[in-house]
Structures are given as structure tokens and as C-alpha cells.
Amino acid sequence: METVILTDVPRPARETVEAFSTIGVATVGEALGRTGDLGSDLRPIQQGTRIAGTAVTVLSWPGDNLMIHAAIEQCGPGDILVVTTRSPSQHGMFGELFATGLQRRGVVGAIIDAGVRDTQELRDMGFPVWSRHVNVMGTVKNTPGAVNVPIVVAGQVIDAGDILVCDDDGVVVVPRKGADEALALSQARVAKEEATRAAFIDGQLGLDRYGMRPVLEELGVTYRRHPEADPA
């Protein structure tokens, strides 16, 4: 593992990132062809929070949070700290003191592909975190790692400057290159969902809106009155 800290990472336009913060994770994932999902077991420690930000990536040794300390210097307004480990770890690598330093620098949240602790304090201070584990077990600060290099979380490659969209459903990554196109696709998906919602409010059925009645017929699904139904 290369031990390096990359500085001066390119980031997408701020308005592009902020626009993603108004769109749900599921909608973004669908718009991108169901790609970029960081998995069902990376969960928020809070509810009712939706954010988007640019990744500052950390590759740490299991049970060692030295590189998180190093990464904070590289963080700025609108960033999200994204931490993973060289091999799986459940240690509580991140807590309220780290969040205090990040919040001071304008960081909007953290994604920890390991353990987090001080969850009540994090909720009280309004610093959102998505993590794989909650664990009181602490860490050491002895082993070098890397900051702002490409990392892999749940099979998805995340590079520094990529956009993370996070809400109650989980997290999706949007590559920095192509972010504007991804935003346009996501906004189009929002418009489509709004039109469908209005149709459902008016009483239209999904069977008809999505043209699924012929599908049922082709699959051999038939309609039959219940034997105990009242006579017509």
C-alpha cells in the first residue's frame, strides 16, 4: 500500500454538488443505471438527513486512525470524509472529536467503512455519519496509510473529488468526471417521478401507466372471480 497524502484535489463545481443534495439517493442510483450504490449495510446513525459533498478519501490500517488525523488537513467546505481500511475492521475509528474538527472546516459529513462511536454526541451536534458498524472499541495511531487516493467501498471505486449523495436509504457515488451529465440524468428522473406521482394521485394505476397488463398476459397470469364473491 502506497503511503501518500495527495493535495490540491480537483473538485466539481459547487453548484453541481449542491444540486445533488436535493435529490434522493434512490433516484440518483436509478438515473445512473442502478450503479454507485455503497451497499445496504452502510447505514446512517441519524434519520431525516440528506447531504451531498465531495470525497476526501482515507485508506487506513484496521484499528488505526492515524490517517484520519492527516486527512482533516485536506478537508474543506462541502467535503465528505470517506474512510475505509486495508482489510475489514469493526473498530470505532471515528467519533465526536473528529467531527468537531471537520465541522469547523465546513465538512458536511462522513462515511466510515468500519466502526463509529459517540453516536449520540454526533447526532446532538448535527454532524451526519454513515457507517458499517457502531463500536466503542478504540484505535491506535501507529500505521501509515494514504489520503486522497482511489479506494474501494462495497465494490465501488471512490476517488478524491467524486460526489457522494447520502440519505436515509444509504449512499451512492457519482464520479467527478461526468458529474454534470449525471446531474442532468438525475433531474430528468425527478421530473419523471413527479409526473408519475401526479398520475397516481389522479387515480391511474401502475399497471396502466407502465403498460404492464400485456406483460401479465404474456406470463400467463389470469383474472378469476373469487369463489365466495357476491354474485354480480
Side-chain angles (χ1 to χ4, degrees), residues 11-13 15-17 19-20 23 28 32 54 161-164 173-187:
R11 291 169 170 80
E15 56 268 25
T16 300
V17 180
F20 273 108
I23 305 174
V28 175
L32 299 185
T54 43
D162 286 348
I163 299 173
L164 284 308
V173 58
V174 178
R176 175 176 61 85
K177 295 179 180 179
D180 289 332
E181 180 183 0
L183 177 60
L185 290 170
S186 299
Q187 291 173 331

mmCIF file with all atom_site columns, all heavy atoms in Angstrom, residues 11-13 15-17 19-20 23 28 32 54 161-164 173-187:
data_model
loop_
_atom_site.group_PDB
_atom_site.id
_atom_site.type_symbol
_atom_site.label_atom_id
_atom_site.label_alt_id
_atom_site.label_comp_id
_atom_site.label_asym_id
_atom_site.label_entity_id
_atom_site.label_seq_id
_atom_site.pdbx_PDB_ins_code
_atom_site.Cartn_x
_atom_site.Cartn_y
_atom_site.Cartn_z
_atom_site.occupancy
_atom_site.B_iso_or_equiv
_atom_site.pdbx_formal_charge
_atom_site.auth_seq_id
_atom_site.auth_comp_id
_atom_site.auth_asym_id
_atom_site.auth_atom_id
_atom_site.pdbx_PDB_model_num
ATOM 1   N N   . ARG A 1 11  ? -12.127 19.384 -7.736  1.00 0.00 ? 11  ARG A N   1
ATOM 2   C CA  . ARG A 1 11  ? -13.491 19.140 -7.283  1.00 0.00 ? 11  ARG A CA  1
ATOM 3   C C   . ARG A 1 11  ? -14.479 19.669 -8.317  1.00 0.00 ? 11  ARG A C   1
ATOM 4   O O   . ARG A 1 11  ? -14.175 20.635 -9.020  1.00 0.00 ? 11  ARG A O   1
ATOM 5   C CB  . ARG A 1 11  ? -13.739 19.799 -5.926  1.00 0.00 ? 11  ARG A CB  1
ATOM 6   C CG  . ARG A 1 11  ? -12.973 19.148 -4.759  1.00 0.00 ? 11  ARG A CG  1
ATOM 7   C CD  . ARG A 1 11  ? -13.058 20.015 -3.517  1.00 0.00 ? 11  ARG A CD  1
ATOM 8   N NE  . ARG A 1 11  ? -12.557 19.362 -2.310  1.00 0.00 ? 11  ARG A NE  1
ATOM 9   C CZ  . ARG A 1 11  ? -11.278 19.248 -1.975  1.00 0.00 ? 11  ARG A CZ  1
ATOM 10  N NH1 . ARG A 1 11  ? -10.348 19.759 -2.772  1.00 0.00 ? 11  ARG A NH1 1
ATOM 11  N NH2 . ARG A 1 11  ? -10.928 18.648 -0.838  1.00 0.00 ? 11  ARG A NH2 1
ATOM 12  N N   . PRO A 1 12  ? -15.666 19.072 -8.402  1.00 0.00 ? 12  PRO A N   1
ATOM 13  C CA  . PRO A 1 12  ? -16.685 19.590 -9.331  1.00 0.00 ? 12  PRO A CA  1
ATOM 14  C C   . PRO A 1 12  ? -17.157 20.969 -8.899  1.00 0.00 ? 12  PRO A C   1
ATOM 15  O O   . PRO A 1 12  ? -16.889 21.429 -7.780  1.00 0.00 ? 12  PRO A O   1
ATOM 16  C CB  . PRO A 1 12  ? -17.820 18.560 -9.220  1.00 0.00 ? 12  PRO A CB  1
ATOM 17  C CG  . PRO A 1 12  ? -17.245 17.395 -8.487  1.00 0.00 ? 12  PRO A CG  1
ATOM 18  C CD  . PRO A 1 12  ? -16.136 17.913 -7.644  1.00 0.00 ? 12  PRO A CD  1
ATOM 19  N N   . ALA A 1 13  ? -17.885 21.628 -9.795  1.00 0.00 ? 13  ALA A N   1
ATOM 20  C CA  . ALA A 1 13  ? -18.453 22.934 -9.473  1.00 0.00 ? 13  ALA A CA  1
ATOM 21  C C   . ALA A 1 13  ? -19.360 22.816 -8.247  1.00 0.00 ? 13  ALA A C   1
ATOM 22  O O   . ALA A 1 13  ? -20.118 21.858 -8.105  1.00 0.00 ? 13  ALA A O   1
ATOM 23  C CB  . ALA A 1 13  ? -19.239 23.474 -10.662 1.00 0.00 ? 13  ALA A CB  1
ATOM 24  N N   . GLU A 1 15  ? -22.024 24.376 -7.420  1.00 0.00 ? 15  GLU A N   1
ATOM 25  C CA  . GLU A 1 15  ? -23.465 24.358 -7.697  1.00 0.00 ? 15  GLU A CA  1
ATOM 26  C C   . GLU A 1 15  ? -23.925 22.968 -8.144  1.00 0.00 ? 15  GLU A C   1
ATOM 27  O O   . GLU A 1 15  ? -25.067 22.567 -7.863  1.00 0.00 ? 15  GLU A O   1
ATOM 28  C CB  . GLU A 1 15  ? -23.838 25.411 -8.735  1.00 0.00 ? 15  GLU A CB  1
ATOM 29  C CG  . GLU A 1 15  ? -23.099 25.317 -10.040 1.00 0.00 ? 15  GLU A CG  1
ATOM 30  C CD  . GLU A 1 15  ? -21.836 26.157 -10.084 1.00 0.00 ? 15  GLU A CD  1
ATOM 31  O OE1 . GLU A 1 15  ? -21.267 26.448 -9.015  1.00 0.00 ? 15  GLU A OE1 1
ATOM 32  O OE2 . GLU A 1 15  ? -21.435 26.515 -11.209 1.00 0.00 ? 15  GLU A OE2 1
ATOM 33  N N   . THR A 1 16  ? -23.055 22.224 -8.812  1.00 0.00 ? 16  THR A N   1
ATOM 34  C CA  . THR A 1 16  ? -23.395 20.854 -9.206  1.00 0.00 ? 16  THR A CA  1
ATOM 35  C C   . THR A 1 16  ? -23.561 19.973 -7.983  1.00 0.00 ? 16  THR A C   1
ATOM 36  O O   . THR A 1 16  ? -24.525 19.218 -7.860  1.00 0.00 ? 16  THR A O   1
ATOM 37  C CB  . THR A 1 16  ? -22.311 20.268 -10.131 1.00 0.00 ? 16  THR A CB  1
ATOM 38  O OG1 . THR A 1 16  ? -22.208 21.071 -11.312 1.00 0.00 ? 16  THR A OG1 1
ATOM 39  C CG2 . THR A 1 16  ? -22.640 18.832 -10.521 1.00 0.00 ? 16  THR A CG2 1
ATOM 40  N N   . VAL A 1 17  ? -22.612 20.073 -7.059  1.00 0.00 ? 17  VAL A N   1
ATOM 41  C CA  . VAL A 1 17  ? -22.672 19.268 -5.833  1.00 0.00 ? 17  VAL A CA  1
ATOM 42  C C   . VAL A 1 17  ? -23.915 19.620 -5.030  1.00 0.00 ? 17  VAL A C   1
ATOM 43  O O   . VAL A 1 17  ? -24.647 18.731 -4.564  1.00 0.00 ? 17  VAL A O   1
ATOM 44  C CB  . VAL A 1 17  ? -21.406 19.491 -4.983  1.00 0.00 ? 17  VAL A CB  1
ATOM 45  C CG1 . VAL A 1 17  ? -21.474 18.652 -3.710  1.00 0.00 ? 17  VAL A CG1 1
ATOM 46  C CG2 . VAL A 1 17  ? -20.157 19.141 -5.776  1.00 0.00 ? 17  VAL A CG2 1
ATOM 47  N N   . ALA A 1 19  ? -26.699 20.814 -6.015  1.00 0.00 ? 19  ALA A N   1
ATOM 48  C CA  . ALA A 1 19  ? -27.921 20.363 -6.686  1.00 0.00 ? 19  ALA A CA  1
ATOM 49  C C   . ALA A 1 19  ? -28.221 18.902 -6.348  1.00 0.00 ? 19  ALA A C   1
ATOM 50  O O   . ALA A 1 19  ? -29.384 18.511 -6.210  1.00 0.00 ? 19  ALA A O   1
ATOM 51  C CB  . ALA A 1 19  ? -27.798 20.550 -8.186  1.00 0.00 ? 19  ALA A CB  1
ATOM 52  N N   . PHE A 1 20  ? -27.191 18.085 -6.204  1.00 0.00 ? 20  PHE A N   1
ATOM 53  C CA  . PHE A 1 20  ? -27.405 16.686 -5.846  1.00 0.00 ? 20  PHE A CA  1
ATOM 54  C C   . PHE A 1 20  ? -27.999 16.539 -4.439  1.00 0.00 ? 20  PHE A C   1
ATOM 55  O O   . PHE A 1 20  ? -28.668 15.539 -4.151  1.00 0.00 ? 20  PHE A O   1
ATOM 56  C CB  . PHE A 1 20  ? -26.095 15.905 -5.921  1.00 0.00 ? 20  PHE A CB  1
ATOM 57  C CG  . PHE A 1 20  ? -25.783 15.353 -7.282  1.00 0.00 ? 20  PHE A CG  1
ATOM 58  C CD1 . PHE A 1 20  ? -24.771 15.904 -8.050  1.00 0.00 ? 20  PHE A CD1 1
ATOM 59  C CD2 . PHE A 1 20  ? -26.501 14.281 -7.799  1.00 0.00 ? 20  PHE A CD2 1
ATOM 60  C CE1 . PHE A 1 20  ? -24.478 15.402 -9.313  1.00 0.00 ? 20  PHE A CE1 1
ATOM 61  C CE2 . PHE A 1 20  ? -26.227 13.768 -9.053  1.00 0.00 ? 20  PHE A CE2 1
ATOM 62  C CZ  . PHE A 1 20  ? -25.205 14.336 -9.812  1.00 0.00 ? 20  PHE A CZ  1
ATOM 63  N N   . ILE A 1 23  ? -31.732 15.744 -4.242  1.00 0.00 ? 23  ILE A N   1
ATOM 64  C CA  . ILE A 1 23  ? -32.235 14.562 -4.943  1.00 0.00 ? 23  ILE A CA  1
ATOM 65  C C   . ILE A 1 23  ? -31.968 13.322 -4.096  1.00 0.00 ? 23  ILE A C   1
ATOM 66  O O   . ILE A 1 23  ? -30.880 13.172 -3.536  1.00 0.00 ? 23  ILE A O   1
ATOM 67  C CB  . ILE A 1 23  ? -31.552 14.415 -6.320  1.00 0.00 ? 23  ILE A CB  1
ATOM 68  C CG1 . ILE A 1 23  ? -31.717 15.697 -7.134  1.00 0.00 ? 23  ILE A CG1 1
ATOM 69  C CG2 . ILE A 1 23  ? -32.142 13.223 -7.086  1.00 0.00 ? 23  ILE A CG2 1
ATOM 70  C CD1 . ILE A 1 23  ? -30.951 15.705 -8.440  1.00 0.00 ? 23  ILE A CD1 1
ATOM 71  N N   . VAL A 1 28  ? -31.028 9.037  -7.709  1.00 0.00 ? 28  VAL A N   1
ATOM 72  C CA  . VAL A 1 28  ? -29.734 9.169  -8.383  1.00 0.00 ? 28  VAL A CA  1
ATOM 73  C C   . VAL A 1 28  ? -29.255 7.813  -8.883  1.00 0.00 ? 28  VAL A C   1
ATOM 74  O O   . VAL A 1 28  ? -28.811 7.666  -10.021 1.00 0.00 ? 28  VAL A O   1
ATOM 75  C CB  . VAL A 1 28  ? -28.689 9.802  -7.449  1.00 0.00 ? 28  VAL A CB  1
ATOM 76  C CG1 . VAL A 1 28  ? -27.318 9.820  -8.122  1.00 0.00 ? 28  VAL A CG1 1
ATOM 77  C CG2 . VAL A 1 28  ? -29.098 11.219 -7.060  1.00 0.00 ? 28  VAL A CG2 1
ATOM 78  N N   . LEU A 1 32  ? -28.618 6.637  -12.841 1.00 0.00 ? 32  LEU A N   1
ATOM 79  C CA  . LEU A 1 32  ? -27.297 6.226  -13.314 1.00 0.00 ? 32  LEU A CA  1
ATOM 80  C C   . LEU A 1 32  ? -27.257 4.746  -13.662 1.00 0.00 ? 32  LEU A C   1
ATOM 81  O O   . LEU A 1 32  ? -26.178 4.151  -13.718 1.00 0.00 ? 32  LEU A O   1
ATOM 82  C CB  . LEU A 1 32  ? -26.247 6.550  -12.247 1.00 0.00 ? 32  LEU A CB  1
ATOM 83  C CG  . LEU A 1 32  ? -26.114 8.031  -11.869 1.00 0.00 ? 32  LEU A CG  1
ATOM 84  C CD1 . LEU A 1 32  ? -24.970 8.227  -10.893 1.00 0.00 ? 32  LEU A CD1 1
ATOM 85  C CD2 . LEU A 1 32  ? -25.919 8.895  -13.099 1.00 0.00 ? 32  LEU A CD2 1
ATOM 86  N N   . THR A 1 54  ? -18.174 16.407 -1.697  1.00 0.00 ? 54  THR A N   1
ATOM 87  C CA  . THR A 1 54  ? -17.046 15.875 -2.452  1.00 0.00 ? 54  THR A CA  1
ATOM 88  C C   . THR A 1 54  ? -16.144 15.057 -1.540  1.00 0.00 ? 54  THR A C   1
ATOM 89  O O   . THR A 1 54  ? -15.876 15.430 -0.395  1.00 0.00 ? 54  THR A O   1
ATOM 90  C CB  . THR A 1 54  ? -16.257 17.013 -3.101  1.00 0.00 ? 54  THR A CB  1
ATOM 91  O OG1 . THR A 1 54  ? -16.097 18.090 -2.162  1.00 0.00 ? 54  THR A OG1 1
ATOM 92  C CG2 . THR A 1 54  ? -16.992 17.536 -4.312  1.00 0.00 ? 54  THR A CG2 1
ATOM 93  N N   . GLY A 1 161 ? -12.570 13.833 -4.752  1.00 0.00 ? 161 GLY A N   1
ATOM 94  C CA  . GLY A 1 161 ? -13.298 14.767 -5.598  1.00 0.00 ? 161 GLY A CA  1
ATOM 95  C C   . GLY A 1 161 ? -14.572 14.213 -6.192  1.00 0.00 ? 161 GLY A C   1
ATOM 96  O O   . GLY A 1 161 ? -15.371 14.977 -6.745  1.00 0.00 ? 161 GLY A O   1
ATOM 97  N N   . ASP A 1 162 ? -14.790 12.886 -6.101  1.00 0.00 ? 162 ASP A N   1
ATOM 98  C CA  . ASP A 1 162 ? -16.080 12.332 -6.524  1.00 0.00 ? 162 ASP A CA  1
ATOM 99  C C   . ASP A 1 162 ? -17.183 12.859 -5.613  1.00 0.00 ? 162 ASP A C   1
ATOM 100 O O   . ASP A 1 162 ? -16.934 13.274 -4.466  1.00 0.00 ? 162 ASP A O   1
ATOM 101 C CB  . ASP A 1 162 ? -16.054 10.804 -6.470  1.00 0.00 ? 162 ASP A CB  1
ATOM 102 C CG  . ASP A 1 162 ? -15.239 10.185 -7.592  1.00 0.00 ? 162 ASP A CG  1
ATOM 103 O OD1 . ASP A 1 162 ? -14.884 10.910 -8.543  1.00 0.00 ? 162 ASP A OD1 1
ATOM 104 O OD2 . ASP A 1 162 ? -14.955 8.979  -7.514  1.00 0.00 ? 162 ASP A OD2 1
ATOM 105 N N   . ILE A 1 163 ? -18.423 12.808 -6.093  1.00 0.00 ? 163 ILE A N   1
ATOM 106 C CA  . ILE A 1 163 ? -19.559 13.289 -5.315  1.00 0.00 ? 163 ILE A CA  1
ATOM 107 C C   . ILE A 1 163 ? -20.227 12.116 -4.610  1.00 0.00 ? 163 ILE A C   1
ATOM 108 O O   . ILE A 1 163 ? -20.478 11.075 -5.219  1.00 0.00 ? 163 ILE A O   1
ATOM 109 C CB  . ILE A 1 163 ? -20.580 14.004 -6.219  1.00 0.00 ? 163 ILE A CB  1
ATOM 110 C CG1 . ILE A 1 163 ? -19.922 15.218 -6.894  1.00 0.00 ? 163 ILE A CG1 1
ATOM 111 C CG2 . ILE A 1 163 ? -21.810 14.445 -5.414  1.00 0.00 ? 163 ILE A CG2 1
ATOM 112 C CD1 . ILE A 1 163 ? -20.806 15.894 -7.929  1.00 0.00 ? 163 ILE A CD1 1
ATOM 113 N N   . LEU A 1 164 ? -20.492 12.274 -3.324  1.00 0.00 ? 164 LEU A N   1
ATOM 114 C CA  . LEU A 1 164 ? -21.273 11.311 -2.549  1.00 0.00 ? 164 LEU A CA  1
ATOM 115 C C   . LEU A 1 164 ? -22.629 11.916 -2.243  1.00 0.00 ? 164 LEU A C   1
ATOM 116 O O   . LEU A 1 164 ? -22.716 13.063 -1.786  1.00 0.00 ? 164 LEU A O   1
ATOM 117 C CB  . LEU A 1 164 ? -20.570 10.958 -1.237  1.00 0.00 ? 164 LEU A CB  1
ATOM 118 C CG  . LEU A 1 164 ? -19.356 10.010 -1.253  1.00 0.00 ? 164 LEU A CG  1
ATOM 119 C CD1 . LEU A 1 164 ? -19.674 8.731  -1.994  1.00 0.00 ? 164 LEU A CD1 1
ATOM 120 C CD2 . LEU A 1 164 ? -18.135 10.689 -1.817  1.00 0.00 ? 164 LEU A CD2 1
ATOM 121 N N   . VAL A 1 173 ? -22.233 6.902  -5.047  1.00 0.00 ? 173 VAL A N   1
ATOM 122 C CA  . VAL A 1 173 ? -21.115 7.717  -5.507  1.00 0.00 ? 173 VAL A CA  1
ATOM 123 C C   . VAL A 1 173 ? -21.337 8.112  -6.963  1.00 0.00 ? 173 VAL A C   1
ATOM 124 O O   . VAL A 1 173 ? -21.765 7.307  -7.788  1.00 0.00 ? 173 VAL A O   1
ATOM 125 C CB  . VAL A 1 173 ? -19.768 6.978  -5.339  1.00 0.00 ? 173 VAL A CB  1
ATOM 126 C CG1 . VAL A 1 173 ? -19.753 5.655  -6.081  1.00 0.00 ? 173 VAL A CG1 1
ATOM 127 C CG2 . VAL A 1 173 ? -18.604 7.856  -5.794  1.00 0.00 ? 173 VAL A CG2 1
ATOM 128 N N   . VAL A 1 174 ? -21.046 9.380  -7.258  1.00 0.00 ? 174 VAL A N   1
ATOM 129 C CA  . VAL A 1 174 ? -21.124 9.919  -8.611  1.00 0.00 ? 174 VAL A CA  1
ATOM 130 C C   . VAL A 1 174 ? -19.716 10.349 -9.003  1.00 0.00 ? 174 VAL A C   1
ATOM 131 O O   . VAL A 1 174 ? -19.147 11.254 -8.372  1.00 0.00 ? 174 VAL A O   1
ATOM 132 C CB  . VAL A 1 174 ? -22.074 11.134 -8.679  1.00 0.00 ? 174 VAL A CB  1
ATOM 133 C CG1 . VAL A 1 174 ? -22.102 11.711 -10.089 1.00 0.00 ? 174 VAL A CG1 1
ATOM 134 C CG2 . VAL A 1 174 ? -23.471 10.749 -8.215  1.00 0.00 ? 174 VAL A CG2 1
ATOM 135 N N   . PRO A 1 175 ? -19.096 9.731  -10.003 1.00 0.00 ? 175 PRO A N   1
ATOM 136 C CA  . PRO A 1 175 ? -17.739 10.119 -10.396 1.00 0.00 ? 175 PRO A CA  1
ATOM 137 C C   . PRO A 1 175 ? -17.640 11.600 -10.745 1.00 0.00 ? 175 PRO A C   1
ATOM 138 O O   . PRO A 1 175 ? -18.551 12.169 -11.362 1.00 0.00 ? 175 PRO A O   1
ATOM 139 C CB  . PRO A 1 175 ? -17.453 9.239  -11.617 1.00 0.00 ? 175 PRO A CB  1
ATOM 140 C CG  . PRO A 1 175 ? -18.349 8.042  -11.433 1.00 0.00 ? 175 PRO A CG  1
ATOM 141 C CD  . PRO A 1 175 ? -19.598 8.585  -10.793 1.00 0.00 ? 175 PRO A CD  1
ATOM 142 N N   . ARG A 1 176 ? -16.544 12.206 -10.338 1.00 0.00 ? 176 ARG A N   1
ATOM 143 C CA  . ARG A 1 176 ? -16.344 13.634 -10.613 1.00 0.00 ? 176 ARG A CA  1
ATOM 144 C C   . ARG A 1 176 ? -16.413 13.920 -12.110 1.00 0.00 ? 176 ARG A C   1
ATOM 145 O O   . ARG A 1 176 ? -17.053 14.884 -12.535 1.00 0.00 ? 176 ARG A O   1
ATOM 146 C CB  . ARG A 1 176 ? -14.990 14.079 -10.051 1.00 0.00 ? 176 ARG A CB  1
ATOM 147 C CG  . ARG A 1 176 ? -14.614 15.510 -10.385 1.00 0.00 ? 176 ARG A CG  1
ATOM 148 C CD  . ARG A 1 176 ? -13.304 15.906 -9.725  1.00 0.00 ? 176 ARG A CD  1
ATOM 149 N NE  . ARG A 1 176 ? -12.196 15.080 -10.173 1.00 0.00 ? 176 ARG A NE  1
ATOM 150 C CZ  . ARG A 1 176 ? -11.481 15.316 -11.271 1.00 0.00 ? 176 ARG A CZ  1
ATOM 151 N NH1 . ARG A 1 176 ? -11.778 16.346 -12.056 1.00 0.00 ? 176 ARG A NH1 1
ATOM 152 N NH2 . ARG A 1 176 ? -10.469 14.533 -11.610 1.00 0.00 ? 176 ARG A NH2 1
ATOM 153 N N   . LYS A 1 177 ? -15.725 13.109 -12.893 1.00 0.00 ? 177 LYS A N   1
ATOM 154 C CA  . LYS A 1 177 ? -15.788 13.272 -14.340 1.00 0.00 ? 177 LYS A CA  1
ATOM 155 C C   . LYS A 1 177 ? -17.137 12.745 -14.818 1.00 0.00 ? 177 LYS A C   1
ATOM 156 O O   . LYS A 1 177 ? -17.459 11.586 -14.640 1.00 0.00 ? 177 LYS A O   1
ATOM 157 C CB  . LYS A 1 177 ? -14.641 12.514 -15.002 1.00 0.00 ? 177 LYS A CB  1
ATOM 158 C CG  . LYS A 1 177 ? -13.276 13.062 -14.645 1.00 0.00 ? 177 LYS A CG  1
ATOM 159 C CD  . LYS A 1 177 ? -12.165 12.272 -15.305 1.00 0.00 ? 177 LYS A CD  1
ATOM 160 C CE  . LYS A 1 177 ? -10.798 12.839 -14.944 1.00 0.00 ? 177 LYS A CE  1
ATOM 161 N NZ  . LYS A 1 177 ? -9.685  12.064 -15.558 1.00 0.00 ? 177 LYS A NZ  1
ATOM 162 N N   . GLY A 1 178 ? -17.915 13.590 -15.400 1.00 0.00 ? 178 GLY A N   1
ATOM 163 C CA  . GLY A 1 178 ? -19.261 13.213 -15.812 1.00 0.00 ? 178 GLY A CA  1
ATOM 164 C C   . GLY A 1 178 ? -20.317 13.614 -14.821 1.00 0.00 ? 178 GLY A C   1
ATOM 165 O O   . GLY A 1 178 ? -21.483 13.209 -14.956 1.00 0.00 ? 178 GLY A O   1
ATOM 166 N N   . ALA A 1 179 ? -19.963 14.411 -13.804 1.00 0.00 ? 179 ALA A N   1
ATOM 167 C CA  . ALA A 1 179 ? -20.933 14.800 -12.776 1.00 0.00 ? 179 ALA A CA  1
ATOM 168 C C   . ALA A 1 179 ? -22.081 15.624 -13.345 1.00 0.00 ? 179 ALA A C   1
ATOM 169 O O   . ALA A 1 179 ? -23.236 15.462 -12.939 1.00 0.00 ? 179 ALA A O   1
ATOM 170 C CB  . ALA A 1 179 ? -20.235 15.574 -11.656 1.00 0.00 ? 179 ALA A CB  1
ATOM 171 N N   . ASP A 1 180 ? -21.786 16.510 -14.290 1.00 0.00 ? 180 ASP A N   1
ATOM 172 C CA  . ASP A 1 180 ? -22.844 17.350 -14.870 1.00 0.00 ? 180 ASP A CA  1
ATOM 173 C C   . ASP A 1 180 ? -23.856 16.493 -15.641 1.00 0.00 ? 180 ASP A C   1
ATOM 174 O O   . ASP A 1 180 ? -25.071 16.718 -15.561 1.00 0.00 ? 180 ASP A O   1
ATOM 175 C CB  . ASP A 1 180 ? -22.242 18.416 -15.789 1.00 0.00 ? 180 ASP A CB  1
ATOM 176 C CG  . ASP A 1 180 ? -21.498 19.489 -15.019 1.00 0.00 ? 180 ASP A CG  1
ATOM 177 O OD1 . ASP A 1 180 ? -21.858 19.732 -13.853 1.00 0.00 ? 180 ASP A OD1 1
ATOM 178 O OD2 . ASP A 1 180 ? -20.558 20.079 -15.579 1.00 0.00 ? 180 ASP A OD2 1
ATOM 179 N N   . GLU A 1 181 ? -23.351 15.527 -16.406 1.00 0.00 ? 181 GLU A N   1
ATOM 180 C CA  . GLU A 1 181 ? -24.254 14.629 -17.126 1.00 0.00 ? 181 GLU A CA  1
ATOM 181 C C   . GLU A 1 181 ? -25.089 13.809 -16.144 1.00 0.00 ? 181 GLU A C   1
ATOM 182 O O   . GLU A 1 181 ? -26.298 13.617 -16.345 1.00 0.00 ? 181 GLU A O   1
ATOM 183 C CB  . GLU A 1 181 ? -23.459 13.696 -18.026 1.00 0.00 ? 181 GLU A CB  1
ATOM 184 C CG  . GLU A 1 181 ? -24.329 12.717 -18.818 1.00 0.00 ? 181 GLU A CG  1
ATOM 185 C CD  . GLU A 1 181 ? -23.512 11.757 -19.648 1.00 0.00 ? 181 GLU A CD  1
ATOM 186 O OE1 . GLU A 1 181 ? -22.271 11.840 -19.623 1.00 0.00 ? 181 GLU A OE1 1
ATOM 187 O OE2 . GLU A 1 181 ? -24.120 10.899 -20.328 1.00 0.00 ? 181 GLU A OE2 1
ATOM 188 N N   . ALA A 1 182 ? -24.451 13.340 -15.063 1.00 0.00 ? 182 ALA A N   1
ATOM 189 C CA  . ALA A 1 182 ? -25.177 12.569 -14.055 1.00 0.00 ? 182 ALA A CA  1
ATOM 190 C C   . ALA A 1 182 ? -26.255 13.415 -13.393 1.00 0.00 ? 182 ALA A C   1
ATOM 191 O O   . ALA A 1 182 ? -27.357 12.923 -13.106 1.00 0.00 ? 182 ALA A O   1
ATOM 192 C CB  . ALA A 1 182 ? -24.199 12.044 -13.001 1.00 0.00 ? 182 ALA A CB  1
ATOM 193 N N   . LEU A 1 183 ? -25.963 14.689 -13.175 1.00 0.00 ? 183 LEU A N   1
ATOM 194 C CA  . LEU A 1 183 ? -26.963 15.581 -12.586 1.00 0.00 ? 183 LEU A CA  1
ATOM 195 C C   . LEU A 1 183 ? -28.144 15.758 -13.529 1.00 0.00 ? 183 LEU A C   1
ATOM 196 O O   . LEU A 1 183 ? -29.309 15.709 -13.092 1.00 0.00 ? 183 LEU A O   1
ATOM 197 C CB  . LEU A 1 183 ? -26.337 16.933 -12.265 1.00 0.00 ? 183 LEU A CB  1
ATOM 198 C CG  . LEU A 1 183 ? -27.296 17.988 -11.711 1.00 0.00 ? 183 LEU A CG  1
ATOM 199 C CD1 . LEU A 1 183 ? -27.938 17.517 -10.412 1.00 0.00 ? 183 LEU A CD1 1
ATOM 200 C CD2 . LEU A 1 183 ? -26.555 19.319 -11.495 1.00 0.00 ? 183 LEU A CD2 1
ATOM 201 N N   . ALA A 1 184 ? -27.869 15.940 -14.814 1.00 0.00 ? 184 ALA A N   1
ATOM 202 C CA  . ALA A 1 184 ? -28.960 16.099 -15.788 1.00 0.00 ? 184 ALA A CA  1
ATOM 203 C C   . ALA A 1 184 ? -29.841 14.852 -15.826 1.00 0.00 ? 184 ALA A C   1
ATOM 204 O O   . ALA A 1 184 ? -31.078 14.953 -15.863 1.00 0.00 ? 184 ALA A O   1
ATOM 205 C CB  . ALA A 1 184 ? -28.387 16.390 -17.170 1.00 0.00 ? 184 ALA A CB  1
ATOM 206 N N   . LEU A 1 185 ? -29.221 13.669 -15.791 1.00 0.00 ? 185 LEU A N   1
ATOM 207 C CA  . LEU A 1 185 ? -29.987 12.431 -15.780 1.00 0.00 ? 185 LEU A CA  1
ATOM 208 C C   . LEU A 1 185 ? -30.826 12.320 -14.506 1.00 0.00 ? 185 LEU A C   1
ATOM 209 O O   . LEU A 1 185 ? -31.983 11.878 -14.539 1.00 0.00 ? 185 LEU A O   1
ATOM 210 C CB  . LEU A 1 185 ? -29.047 11.236 -15.891 1.00 0.00 ? 185 LEU A CB  1
ATOM 211 C CG  . LEU A 1 185 ? -28.348 11.043 -17.242 1.00 0.00 ? 185 LEU A CG  1
ATOM 212 C CD1 . LEU A 1 185 ? -27.275 9.970  -17.135 1.00 0.00 ? 185 LEU A CD1 1
ATOM 213 C CD2 . LEU A 1 185 ? -29.351 10.684 -18.323 1.00 0.00 ? 185 LEU A CD2 1
ATOM 214 N N   . SER A 1 186 ? -30.250 12.722 -13.390 1.00 0.00 ? 186 SER A N   1
ATOM 215 C CA  . SER A 1 186 ? -30.963 12.641 -12.113 1.00 0.00 ? 186 SER A CA  1
ATOM 216 C C   . SER A 1 186 ? -32.136 13.609 -12.080 1.00 0.00 ? 186 SER A C   1
ATOM 217 O O   . SER A 1 186 ? -33.228 13.278 -11.588 1.00 0.00 ? 186 SER A O   1
ATOM 218 C CB  . SER A 1 186 ? -29.998 12.924 -10.953 1.00 0.00 ? 186 SER A CB  1
ATOM 219 O OG  . SER A 1 186 ? -28.957 11.963 -10.914 1.00 0.00 ? 186 SER A OG  1
ATOM 220 N N   . GLN A 1 187 ? -31.935 14.807 -12.584 1.00 0.00 ? 187 GLN A N   1
ATOM 221 C CA  . GLN A 1 187 ? -33.023 15.789 -12.619 1.00 0.00 ? 187 GLN A CA  1
ATOM 222 C C   . GLN A 1 187 ? -34.132 15.341 -13.557 1.00 0.00 ? 187 GLN A C   1
ATOM 223 O O   . GLN A 1 187 ? -35.325 15.559 -13.269 1.00 0.00 ? 187 GLN A O   1
ATOM 224 C CB  . GLN A 1 187 ? -32.467 17.149 -13.021 1.00 0.00 ? 187 GLN A CB  1
ATOM 225 C CG  . GLN A 1 187 ? -31.585 17.763 -11.945 1.00 0.00 ? 187 GLN A CG  1
ATOM 226 C CD  . GLN A 1 187 ? -30.896 19.035 -12.391 1.00 0.00 ? 187 GLN A CD  1
ATOM 227 O OE1 . GLN A 1 187 ? -30.612 19.217 -13.578 1.00 0.00 ? 187 GLN A OE1 1
ATOM 228 N NE2 . GLN A 1 187 ? -30.615 19.928 -11.468 1.00 0.00 ? 187 GLN A NE2 1
#
